[in-house]
Amino acid sequence: MTGALPPHPRARLLLAEDEPSLVTTLTDRLHAEGYAVEAVRDGEAALLRALGGGFDLLVLDVMMPGRDGFEVCRELRRQGSPLPVLMLTARTQVVDRVVGLKLGADDYLTKPFETIELLARIEALLRRAPPGPSGMTLERYQFGDITVDVRKAEVMHKGQLLDLSAKEFQLLKYFIEHRGATVSRDELLQEVWGYNAMPSTRTVDVHVAWLRQKLEPNPRVPQYILTVHGMGYKFAG
């Protein structure tokens, strides 16, 4: 039985941990609690994904290959990232906890820990954080070579402006705001086209096809806008 819904619906977490069994355990539990989770297994990958944006919180192990968690946290703050960071470590000395917090970590949890405590700390950090990629105040989002600027209503591919119609942009924005969730064609018609527009579900499919042509590296094998057969679509950017 899972706990209460997370404070940010479908909040997206980046889990940086190199212990495979712990990655599996935490990912399964966090998914069950309603979070979207992406896992990386070394410090360099953690830094690149965190700086790329699109996450609400980073769960960061200190002892990792390549850059350790201290280095990752230091570099994130040096580059101005406000991403909340919860550090995990097997170290128990107070000085290590102090170092992590001074480098910009928001909280610190020592292994071994109870999953329920990790969940409570994640929820607390998300409540304190300003609305991030999962909130309605999303202003900028990046996936692959695509950058979406919501305020300017612009979509760039490798720095080049893409020509999206207003409805294509609204559809993409809705996908991003609900990434990781399966959304039905009826939901998209209601939320993107509106109650009074009365288009058919075929309209959704056509616009999705157009978006794929413009955004996907291989539109025939999409990796961002996925079809969930019999249900609708899922954005996995």
Side-chain angles (χ1 to χ4, degrees), residues 12-25:
R12 193 173 188 193
L13 310 183
L14 178 61
L15 172 62
E17 167 64 58
D18 68 330
E19 185 181 331
S21 60
L22 186 56
V23 170
T24 300
T25 299

PDB file of all heavy atoms in Angstrom, residues 12-25:
ATOM      1  N   ARG A  12       9.262  14.861 -10.896  1.00  0.00           N
ATOM      2  CA  ARG A  12      10.292  14.069 -11.569  1.00  0.00           C
ATOM      3  C   ARG A  12      11.581  14.111 -10.763  1.00  0.00           C
ATOM      4  O   ARG A  12      12.132  15.181 -10.515  1.00  0.00           O
ATOM      5  CB  ARG A  12      10.516  14.593 -12.980  1.00  0.00           C
ATOM      6  CG  ARG A  12      11.336  13.626 -13.824  1.00  0.00           C
ATOM      7  CD  ARG A  12      11.397  14.070 -15.256  1.00  0.00           C
ATOM      8  NE  ARG A  12      12.023  13.042 -16.077  1.00  0.00           N
ATOM      9  CZ  ARG A  12      12.439  13.239 -17.320  1.00  0.00           C
ATOM     10  NH1 ARG A  12      12.292  14.418 -17.876  1.00  0.00           N
ATOM     11  NH2 ARG A  12      12.984  12.265 -18.003  1.00  0.00           N
ATOM     12  N   LEU A  13      12.068  12.932 -10.392  1.00  0.00           N
ATOM     13  CA  LEU A  13      13.257  12.823  -9.576  1.00  0.00           C
ATOM     14  C   LEU A  13      14.405  12.244 -10.392  1.00  0.00           C
ATOM     15  O   LEU A  13      14.217  11.317 -11.172  1.00  0.00           O
ATOM     16  CB  LEU A  13      13.004  11.912  -8.371  1.00  0.00           C
ATOM     17  CG  LEU A  13      11.754  12.187  -7.521  1.00  0.00           C
ATOM     18  CD1 LEU A  13      11.718  11.227  -6.344  1.00  0.00           C
ATOM     19  CD2 LEU A  13      11.711  13.630  -7.055  1.00  0.00           C
ATOM     20  N   LEU A  14      15.603  12.782 -10.171  1.00  0.00           N
ATOM     21  CA  LEU A  14      16.819  12.218 -10.733  1.00  0.00           C
ATOM     22  C   LEU A  14      17.535  11.482  -9.609  1.00  0.00           C
ATOM     23  O   LEU A  14      17.899  12.085  -8.604  1.00  0.00           O
ATOM     24  CB  LEU A  14      17.712  13.317 -11.307  1.00  0.00           C
ATOM     25  CG  LEU A  14      19.055  12.863 -11.893  1.00  0.00           C
ATOM     26  CD1 LEU A  14      18.850  11.901 -13.051  1.00  0.00           C
ATOM     27  CD2 LEU A  14      19.880  14.074 -12.346  1.00  0.00           C
ATOM     28  N   LEU A  15      17.725  10.175  -9.777  1.00  0.00           N
ATOM     29  CA  LEU A  15      18.377   9.350  -8.767  1.00  0.00           C
ATOM     30  C   LEU A  15      19.783   9.018  -9.243  1.00  0.00           C
ATOM     31  O   LEU A  15      19.958   8.344 -10.259  1.00  0.00           O
ATOM     32  CB  LEU A  15      17.569   8.065  -8.544  1.00  0.00           C
ATOM     33  CG  LEU A  15      18.210   6.994  -7.649  1.00  0.00           C
ATOM     34  CD1 LEU A  15      18.432   7.529  -6.237  1.00  0.00           C
ATOM     35  CD2 LEU A  15      17.342   5.744  -7.622  1.00  0.00           C
ATOM     36  N   ALA A  16      20.784   9.506  -8.535  1.00  0.00           N
ATOM     37  CA  ALA A  16      22.184   9.250  -8.869  1.00  0.00           C
ATOM     38  C   ALA A  16      22.750   8.290  -7.832  1.00  0.00           C
ATOM     39  O   ALA A  16      23.075   8.687  -6.708  1.00  0.00           O
ATOM     40  CB  ALA A  16      22.980  10.552  -8.900  1.00  0.00           C
ATOM     41  N   GLU A  17      22.851   7.024  -8.216  1.00  0.00           N
ATOM     42  CA  GLU A  17      23.255   5.964  -7.287  1.00  0.00           C
ATOM     43  C   GLU A  17      23.877   4.836  -8.101  1.00  0.00           C
ATOM     44  O   GLU A  17      23.344   4.449  -9.143  1.00  0.00           O
ATOM     45  CB  GLU A  17      22.025   5.469  -6.513  1.00  0.00           C
ATOM     46  CG  GLU A  17      22.199   4.193  -5.736  1.00  0.00           C
ATOM     47  CD  GLU A  17      23.215   4.321  -4.628  1.00  0.00           C
ATOM     48  OE1 GLU A  17      23.038   5.197  -3.754  1.00  0.00           O
ATOM     49  OE2 GLU A  17      24.192   3.539  -4.636  1.00  0.00           O
ATOM     50  N   ASP A  18      25.020   4.302  -7.635  1.00  0.00           N
ATOM     51  CA  ASP A  18      25.715   3.275  -8.425  1.00  0.00           C
ATOM     52  C   ASP A  18      25.497   1.858  -7.914  1.00  0.00           C
ATOM     53  O   ASP A  18      26.011   0.913  -8.503  1.00  0.00           O
ATOM     54  CB  ASP A  18      27.218   3.578  -8.495  1.00  0.00           C
ATOM     55  CG  ASP A  18      27.907   3.434  -7.146  1.00  0.00           C
ATOM     56  OD1 ASP A  18      27.243   3.661  -6.119  1.00  0.00           O
ATOM     57  OD2 ASP A  18      29.099   3.100  -7.130  1.00  0.00           O
ATOM     58  N   GLU A  19      24.750   1.684  -6.851  1.00  0.00           N
ATOM     59  CA  GLU A  19      24.473   0.340  -6.326  1.00  0.00           C
ATOM     60  C   GLU A  19      23.205  -0.205  -6.991  1.00  0.00           C
ATOM     61  O   GLU A  19      22.095   0.264  -6.711  1.00  0.00           O
ATOM     62  CB  GLU A  19      24.287   0.402  -4.808  1.00  0.00           C
ATOM     63  CG  GLU A  19      24.126  -0.957  -4.163  1.00  0.00           C
ATOM     64  CD  GLU A  19      23.921  -0.855  -2.670  1.00  0.00           C
ATOM     65  OE1 GLU A  19      24.432   0.116  -2.066  1.00  0.00           O
ATOM     66  OE2 GLU A  19      23.245  -1.731  -2.112  1.00  0.00           O
ATOM     67  N   PRO A  20      23.334  -1.191  -7.898  1.00  0.00           N
ATOM     68  CA  PRO A  20      22.178  -1.654  -8.697  1.00  0.00           C
ATOM     69  C   PRO A  20      20.968  -2.070  -7.873  1.00  0.00           C
ATOM     70  O   PRO A  20      19.833  -1.720  -8.221  1.00  0.00           O
ATOM     71  CB  PRO A  20      22.752  -2.849  -9.481  1.00  0.00           C
ATOM     72  CG  PRO A  20      24.215  -2.578  -9.560  1.00  0.00           C
ATOM     73  CD  PRO A  20      24.570  -1.923  -8.264  1.00  0.00           C
ATOM     74  N   SER A  21      21.176  -2.801  -6.797  1.00  0.00           N
ATOM     75  CA  SER A  21      20.028  -3.275  -6.012  1.00  0.00           C
ATOM     76  C   SER A  21      19.283  -2.117  -5.363  1.00  0.00           C
ATOM     77  O   SER A  21      18.052  -2.116  -5.295  1.00  0.00           O
ATOM     78  CB  SER A  21      20.497  -4.262  -4.935  1.00  0.00           C
ATOM     79  OG  SER A  21      21.416  -3.644  -4.043  1.00  0.00           O
ATOM     80  N   LEU A  22      20.023  -1.109  -4.912  1.00  0.00           N
ATOM     81  CA  LEU A  22      19.388   0.049  -4.295  1.00  0.00           C
ATOM     82  C   LEU A  22      18.655   0.875  -5.349  1.00  0.00           C
ATOM     83  O   LEU A  22      17.559   1.398  -5.093  1.00  0.00           O
ATOM     84  CB  LEU A  22      20.422   0.911  -3.572  1.00  0.00           C
ATOM     85  CG  LEU A  22      19.877   2.083  -2.751  1.00  0.00           C
ATOM     86  CD1 LEU A  22      18.858   1.604  -1.729  1.00  0.00           C
ATOM     87  CD2 LEU A  22      21.020   2.830  -2.064  1.00  0.00           C
ATOM     88  N   VAL A  23      19.226   0.984  -6.538  1.00  0.00           N
ATOM     89  CA  VAL A  23      18.555   1.699  -7.634  1.00  0.00           C
ATOM     90  C   VAL A  23      17.209   1.046  -7.920  1.00  0.00           C
ATOM     91  O   VAL A  23      16.180   1.720  -8.040  1.00  0.00           O
ATOM     92  CB  VAL A  23      19.429   1.702  -8.903  1.00  0.00           C
ATOM     93  CG1 VAL A  23      18.624   2.218 -10.092  1.00  0.00           C
ATOM     94  CG2 VAL A  23      20.657   2.570  -8.694  1.00  0.00           C
ATOM     95  N   THR A  24      17.214  -0.276  -8.027  1.00  0.00           N
ATOM     96  CA  THR A  24      15.972  -0.996  -8.324  1.00  0.00           C
ATOM     97  C   THR A  24      14.946  -0.809  -7.216  1.00  0.00           C
ATOM     98  O   THR A  24      13.776  -0.508  -7.471  1.00  0.00           O
ATOM     99  CB  THR A  24      16.259  -2.496  -8.514  1.00  0.00           C
ATOM    100  OG1 THR A  24      17.169  -2.669  -9.607  1.00  0.00           O
ATOM    101  CG2 THR A  24      14.970  -3.261  -8.802  1.00  0.00           C
ATOM    102  N   THR A  25      15.388  -0.968  -5.980  1.00  0.00           N
ATOM    103  CA  THR A  25      14.481  -0.848  -4.836  1.00  0.00           C
ATOM    104  C   THR A  25      13.869   0.546  -4.748  1.00  0.00           C
ATOM    105  O   THR A  25      12.645   0.704  -4.600  1.00  0.00           O
ATOM    106  CB  THR A  25      15.225  -1.163  -3.527  1.00  0.00           C
ATOM    107  OG1 THR A  25      15.708  -2.506  -3.570  1.00  0.00           O
ATOM    108  CG2 THR A  25      14.308  -1.003  -2.322  1.00  0.00           C
TER     109      THR A  25
END
